[in-house]
């Protein structure tokens, strides 16, 4: 049986967030390139972030937030979260980002997403997992398609950034579609 404490993929290991992760998260959240296609309304102080991490609820069926670490060096490089799990429809949402830019394009995010989706399907007994992505975020869309996500819908002009509206795509993977 797999443990929630540690999920291991081919390139990454996923573990619960710790208060010590605050500094890395603060750096990632203040990197405009990382945040470019992510919803981020307000700047958060380092003290606020530290407090939020120290006070946060333990992972549960409703929300599983995990730190993505490289398998070899155990370097924290990003976050992945399964949230809003609906037990009747066995459906949940997923969010992911790699905050350490030098790891983009190296397959780490794709591996982490595949691993957490497998956890969602096999252990949480979900039937489908969905996400939204800005249509202009081509690398992310390609990553999601590589593991079986399909476009199920379009949210027109749902994302506003730097004076411009962008469409968002609703993407979804069913349990038997994950590759
Ligand atoms: C989106 C993200 C999680 C993808 O993870 P990743 O590990 O970088 O993804 P991969 O390395 O598997 O790359 C995915 C595909 O995009 C391609 N790609 C890489 N850079 C690209 C670029 N600038 N434009 C278009 N495609 C690109 C890769 O070639 C790869 O396809 P391939 O394996 O067929 O060659 C990660 O890049 C990230 O966190 N980006 C910043 C934050 C973000 O956008 N989060 C998602 C919000 S919805």
């Amino acid at each position: 049986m797999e443990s929630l404490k540690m999920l291991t993929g081919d390139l990454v290991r996923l573990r619960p967030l710790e208060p010590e992760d605050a500094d890395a998260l603060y750096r990632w959240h203040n990197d405009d390139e990382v945040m470019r296609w992510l919803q981020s309304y307000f700047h958060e102080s380092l003290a606020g972030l530290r407090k939020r991490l120290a006070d946060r609820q333990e992972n549960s069926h409703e929300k599983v937030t995990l730190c993505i670490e490289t398998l070899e060096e155990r370097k924290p490089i990003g976050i992945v979260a399964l949230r809003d799990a609906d037990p009747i429809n066995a459906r949940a949402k997923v969010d992911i980002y790699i905050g350490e830019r030098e790891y983009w394009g190296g397959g780490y995010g794709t591996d982490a997403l595949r691993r957490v989706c497998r956890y969602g399907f096999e252990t949480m007994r979900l039937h489908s997992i969905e996400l939204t992505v800005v249509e202009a975020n081509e690398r992310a869309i390609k990553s999601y398609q590589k593991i079986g996500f399909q476009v199920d819908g379009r949210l027109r002009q749902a994302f506003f950034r730097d004076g411009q509206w962008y469409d968002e795509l609703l993407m979804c993977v069913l349990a038997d579609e994950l590759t």
Side-chain angles (χ1 to χ4, degrees), residues 11 33-39 68 77-79 94-101 103-113 131-134 136-144 146-147 168:
L11 298 171
E33 277 290 298
V34 173
M35 301 311 289
R36 184 160 181 220
W37 301 121
L38 299 175
Q39 295 285 6
I68 306 168
I77 58 169
I79 302 288
V94 70
D95 300 305
I96 184 165
Y97 69 84
I98 300 294
E100 300 292 344
R101 282 195 247 150
Y103 289 87
W104 290 355
Y108 294 85
T110 304
D111 189 40
L113 187 61
L131 57 79
T132 54
V133 57
V134 181
N137 193 351
E138 291 174 21
R139 177 174 42 226
I141 293 168
K142 216 166 164 188
S143 160
Y144 307 152
K146 274 203 297 188
I147 60 170
E168 280 193 335

Side-chain angles (χ1 to χ4, degrees), residues 125-163:
R125 302 181 62 195
L126 295 172
H127 178 65
S128 65
I129 298 177
E130 69 185 67
L131 57 79
T132 54
V133 57
V134 181
E135 189 179 30
N137 193 351
E138 291 174 21
R139 177 174 42 226
I141 293 168
K142 216 166 164 188
S143 160
Y144 307 152
Q145 284 172 332
K146 274 203 297 188
I147 60 170
F149 277 83
Q150 295 180 27
V151 176
D152 279 359
R154 171 182 297 273
L155 306 166
R156 291 175 304 124
Q157 301 192 7
F159 188 90
F160 185 76
R161 182 59 43 92
D162 298 333

Side-chain angles (χ1 to χ4, degrees), residues 4 16-17 52 56-66 79-86 92-95 116 119 124:
L4 215 198
L17 273 180
R52 192 158 61 84
R56 67 185 291 277
Q57 299 269 315
E58 285 298 318
N59 282 324
S60 68
H61 189 78
E62 281 74 41
K63 184 154 190 189
V64 181
T65 305
L66 298 167
I79 302 288
V80 64
L82 269 178
R83 63 180 167 90
D84 299 344
D86 163 356
K93 295 179 177 148
V94 70
D95 300 305
V116 84
Y119 175 79
M124 291 172 65

Side-chain angles (χ1 to χ4, degrees), residues 26-84:
Y26 185 72
R27 195 157 44 76
W28 301 337
H29 293 179
N30 284 287
D31 183 330
D32 288 343
E33 277 290 298
V34 173
M35 301 311 289
R36 184 160 181 220
W37 301 121
L38 299 175
Q39 295 285 6
S40 57
Y41 304 111
F42 305 111
H43 295 289
E44 189 174 25
S45 68
L46 180 56
L49 187 54
R50 283 190 177 135
K51 183 165 184 334
R52 192 158 61 84
L53 280 188
D55 294 348
R56 67 185 291 277
Q57 299 269 315
E58 285 298 318
N59 282 324
S60 68
H61 189 78
E62 281 74 41
K63 184 154 190 189
V64 181
T65 305
L66 298 167
C67 181
I68 306 168
E69 286 185 344
T70 58
L71 202 52
E72 300 295 320
E73 306 86 6
R74 307 235 163 136
K75 177 182 161 122
I77 58 169
I79 302 288
V80 64
L82 269 178
R83 63 180 167 90
D84 299 344

